[in-house]
Amino acid sequence: MTTLRLILGDQLSPSISALEECDPAKDVILMCEVWDEATYVKHHKKKIAFLFSAMRHFARDLTENGYQLDYVKLDDPENSGSLQAEVSRALKRHAIERIVVTFPGEYRLLEEFLRWESLFNLPVEIRPDTRFLCSPDGFANWARGRKQLRMEYFYREMRKHYSVLIEGDQPVGGQWNYDAENRKPPSSGLSIPDPASFAPDDITKEVLKLVAERFADHFGDLEPFAFAVTREDALRVLGRFIAQRLPHFGDYQDAMIEGEPWMFHSHISFYLNSGLLHPMECIKAAERAWHEGRAPLNAVEGFTRQILGWREYIRGIYWLKMPDYGQTNFLEAKHDLPAFYWTANTQMNCLRQCVLETRANAYAHHIQRLMVLGNFALLAGIEPKQVNEWFLIVYADAYEWVELPNVSGMILYADGGLLASKPYAAGGAYINKMSNYCKSCRFKVSKKNGADACPFNYLYWDFLARNRDKLQDNPRIAMMYRSYDRMSEQKHQAIADDARRFFKTL
Ligand code: FAD
Ligand code: DLZ
Ligand code: SF4
């Protein structure tokens, strides 16, 4: 049966299920660069360039291996602009008897795929995405009957299931979690290795030109462009991380240093999420480094937890709760996203640095996204829809399945506590402890109120006061309400006044 096999921009794995039992002599593989996917939110220029170049390299490699590729470039004059219309056009070019796709990363595309059988009057097979380590059904089974869906317990099951860092049925080293050792503040004189970087080849240069011409009004710097765009180079990024950064990954996981966007993180999310790397090969590479004494257990366990735990758990939550998850707004937050999320034009140095790095690199590391950019959006009561759109646009690793639960669940508490047991709110002191941003800030982190006080300080208490009816029964923050209640009436007034004055400036 001649089959049309559609491969999406984030399905660039030779082992992708849509290619299983592919007959290179008969079947046609369709890949298309389409306007709709590049603009349904106006993705960062670097993200579009990365994906188009990686798609073109993947298609080249498949062609060299004898597959029949039908690759539609964005500037092909016949390009219709949407995936559905491109499938329709491809059906006219080839005598196709059925369509095979792999389960997509976003709900809106699944809905579209489910309509195709009647639309095209052909069998459409949607195959599981076997690149993930827990299927949506597997996650639903784990979640069934549980009152709380805590990542930690899911992660332990995954460790046992895949026998990662396990001896017998116990964790190596006697502990499941070494988080307490992974919160070292940044120390001066840290020697941070340069990140891996790759000079654009001819394919990438052509894509850079296209993106510069067609997406000039999108956010972000297109160049310098140094991402890996092939599996071979993505494996080099992984190899360099294991050799140079992993030993310190745990210690400085939560640390932020001005002018050091990459820290000791792995920078593999772009490659994992587009399919150039497989999660288990990353986990195994780290585990091997521990066995061979090249990295300590706190680092290797911490890295494993991010991929085997957080990444799979986040995807599980997405598919368990969609489509409703996209609409949640438990705290009824309704402020607009401040313009400085795009311009970096703010005197709050932490936010300024994180936005500048995001604009330059289409990357910020986890604690910048969580503790600075996310924490501010939570405290300032920004509407979840606007925050979600920003995070989906600006990061080259962002797809809704991973972005939405991180934003609505982890940072905004918009799901009312499904993902996080309490809002991840913090004042300036924590940012000061984990970074050196405050040293060169116009605001004083030690000051709690007044025009030169760190805004995070009064916004923190104002957030608690504003959301009291929704949060005060949560036992994990009851203590903070007791502290608030011990403050004088005058202090309460100062907090409210400062917050009001601050919001007016946004
Ligand atoms: P490392 O710190 O080296 O971690 C290794 C890997 O663990 C990452 O590559 C990633 O695959 C995985 N990982 C770690 N934390 C998470 C997490 N919370 N959720 C899912 N995977 C995780 N990650 C994305 O891939 N895409 C997103 O759109 C995205 N949006 C986020 C939005 C917010 C508000 C927050 C707080 C986090 C978000 N994350 C997202 C998670 C995390 O910040 C990034 O995965 C990480 O910064 C990528 O950099 P890295 O590869 O250097 O990660
Ligand atoms: C993100 C993205 C972009 C920018 N462009 C394309 C594209 O032109 N063609 C394509 O097949 N995929 C693209 N993608 C990735 C899709 O948006 C992604 O597959 C879905 O969001 C599901 O995760
Ligand atoms: Fe950010 Fe406050 Fe520190 Fe300034 S003082 S960098 S606003 S935490």
Side-chain angles (χ1 to χ4, degrees):
M1 201 186 271
T2 305
T3 303
L4 183 74
R5 297 170 186 271
L6 175 68
I7 304 287
L8 300 175
D10 55 354
Q11 298 183 338
L12 308 180
S13 316
S15 62
I16 192 83
S17 57
L19 290 183
E20 278 166 22
E21 307 119 37
C22 178
D23 181 345
K26 271 173 49 189
D27 294 351
V28 176
I29 299 171
L30 177 67
M31 294 180 69
C32 25
E33 298 167 5
V34 287
W35 187 253
D36 279 6
E37 288 307 308
T39 59
Y40 76 96
V41 296
K42 293 177 82 172
H43 300 288
H44 194 298
K45 293 189 200 77
K46 258 193 182 111
K47 177 178 182 181
I48 301 176
F50 160 64
L51 223 59
F52 284 6
S53 179
M55 286 170 72
R56 291 184 187 194
H57 283 88
F58 185 74
R60 178 200 64 186
D61 293 349
L62 287 180
T63 310
E64 282 173 7
N65 284 316
Y67 290 96
Q68 290 188 59
L69 257 289
D70 187 345
Y71 191 99
V72 184
K73 290 185 175 174
L74 189 89
D75 51 2
D76 180 332
E78 307 285 310
N79 190 331
S80 62
S82 81
L83 286 172
Q84 186 165 294
E86 281 313 297
V87 171
S88 174
R89 282 203 319 123
L91 294 177
K92 296 191 183 101
R93 288 193 292 272
H94 312 280
I96 297 294
E97 293 159 290
R98 68 163 182 163
I99 299 170
V100 169
V101 289
T102 291
F103 197 84
E106 300 192 349
Y107 188 85
R108 68 186 169 90
L109 281 184
L110 179 63
E111 279 189 310
E112 197 171 313
F113 288 179
L114 290 170
R115 289 195 296 266
W116 284 1
E117 203 154 273
S118 61
L119 187 73
F120 298 128
N121 202 20
L122 280 177
V124 175
E125 191 185 336
I126 305 174
R127 294 183 172 171
D129 191 341
T130 51
R131 298 170 305 167
F132 287 94
L133 302 170
C134 180
S135 67
D137 284 348
F139 190 83
N141 285 337
W142 173 79
R144 194 163 296 125
R146 282 173 196 265
K147 275 209 191 100
Q148 292 191 315
L149 302 182
R150 293 291 162 250
M151 198 292 290
E152 183 63 29
Y153 299 111
F154 169 77
Y155 166 59
R156 291 180 192 180
E157 296 294 318
M158 294 291 280
R159 286 264 298 272
K160 284 191 230 163
H161 180 78
Y162 283 100
S163 200
V164 173
L165 298 175
I166 288 284
E167 246 164 21
D169 61 353
Q170 290 304 308
V172 296
Q175 270 172 246
W176 288 103
N177 185 318
Y178 291 84
D179 233 8
E181 291 175 35
N182 288 358
R183 292 197 186 112
K184 284 212 176 101
S187 38
S188 55
L190 266 185
S191 163
I192 302 168
D194 288 336
S197 76
F198 303 89
D201 64 2
D202 288 344
I203 294 179
T204 301
K205 281 183 192 155
E206 192 180 295
V207 167
L208 291 174
K209 191 165 166 289
L210 176 81
V211 174
E213 282 165 12
R214 300 290 176 103
F215 302 100
D217 63 334
H218 284 216
F219 173 77
D221 301 346
L222 179 59
E223 297 193 63
F225 182 91
F227 282 121
V229 290
T230 61
R231 174 163 163 76
E232 289 68 36
D233 282 347
L235 281 168
R236 288 190 181 98
V237 176
L238 174 65
R240 251 173 98 132
F241 165 70
I242 300 286
Q244 300 181 346
R245 301 180 122 82
L246 179 63
H248 295 297
F249 174 86
D251 290 351
Y252 297 110
Q253 207 174 330
D254 283 4
M256 301 176 276
I257 300 181
E258 189 164 334
E260 295 288 355
W262 308 102
M263 294 299 294
F264 292 99
H265 293 271
S266 64
H267 328 134
I268 57 169
S269 50
F270 327 113
Y271 313 125
L272 277 171
N273 296 352
S274 56
L276 297 184
L277 292 178
H278 190 284
M280 193 46 88
E281 72 190 342
C282 304
I283 293 167
K284 286 287 168 197
E287 193 181 21
R288 228 174 7 256
W290 175 68
H291 275 298
E292 292 168 7
R294 290 182 280 122
L297 187 54
N298 70 313
V300 173
E301 188 283 313
F303 180 69
T304 301
R305 179 151 26 92
Q306 304 312 311
I307 300 183
L308 190 56
W310 278 111
R311 187 170 186 271
E312 296 292 331
Y313 168 82
I314 287 283
R315 178 175 184 257
I317 294 278
Y318 179 79
W319 286 109
L320 190 69
K321 293 294 171 188
M322 281 302 278
D324 298 345
Y325 207 76
Q327 309 305 323
T328 55
N329 188 0
F330 175 72
L331 297 177
E332 298 176 70
K334 48 185 183 294
H335 283 140
D336 284 338
L337 188 80
F340 67 70
Y341 273 79
W342 304 108
T343 61
N345 191 5
T346 167
Q347 293 183 312
M348 288 177 281
N349 191 42
C350 52
L351 281 158
R352 181 176 155 72
Q353 296 305 325
C354 292
V355 173
L356 284 174
E357 290 176 359
T358 299
R359 189 163 77 189
N361 304 319
Y363 175 85
H365 60 75
H366 185 68
I367 206 71
Q368 294 177 308
R369 299 187 203 195
L370 179 69
M371 194 47 67
V372 179
L373 297 157
N375 185 24
F376 183 84
L378 171 73
L379 297 186
I382 315 293
E383 189 198 19
K385 276 224 175 314
Q386 298 186 42
V387 185
N388 273 297
E389 181 169 293
W390 187 83
F391 274 94
L392 192 55
I393 285 175
V394 303
Y395 294 116
D397 55 28
Y399 302 88
E400 196 184 68
W401 68 265
V402 54
E403 172 277 322
L404 178 62
N406 270 300
V407 169
S408 284
M410 197 180 303
I411 65 170
L412 296 182
Y413 204 70
D415 64 4
L418 177 79
L419 195 146
S421 54
K422 69 175 181 61
Y424 220 102
Y430 192 67
I431 297 176
N432 189 37
K433 180 173 169 223
M434 298 314 299
S435 79
N436 63 359
Y437 292 141
C438 303
K439 283 197 181 110
S440 36
C441 185
R442 112 134 187 62
F443 297 106
K444 294 196 171 51
V445 71
S446 55
K447 280 201 75 177
K448 307 293 181 214
N449 287 103
D452 58 349
C454 166
F456 280 93
N457 291 341
Y458 49 79
L459 288 182
Y460 173 80
W461 292 112
D462 184 65
F463 165 80
L464 287 182
R466 257 188 289 133
N467 292 293
R468 183 162 202 142
D469 58 332
K470 297 221 165 60
L471 299 177
Q472 67 180 354
D473 293 336
N474 182 328
R476 292 203 62 203
I477 36 178
M479 202 176 81
M480 300 321 292
Y481 279 107
R482 284 197 292 277
S483 302
Y484 180 80
D485 291 342
R486 279 196 298 272
M487 293 173 189
S488 66
E489 195 45 48
Q490 216 177 3
K491 175 81 176 166
H492 287 170
Q493 196 55 53
I495 289 167
D497 288 348
D498 281 341
R500 209 170 19 248
R501 179 187 39 76
F502 176 82
F503 286 131
K504 272 198 195 138
T505 68
L506 289 183

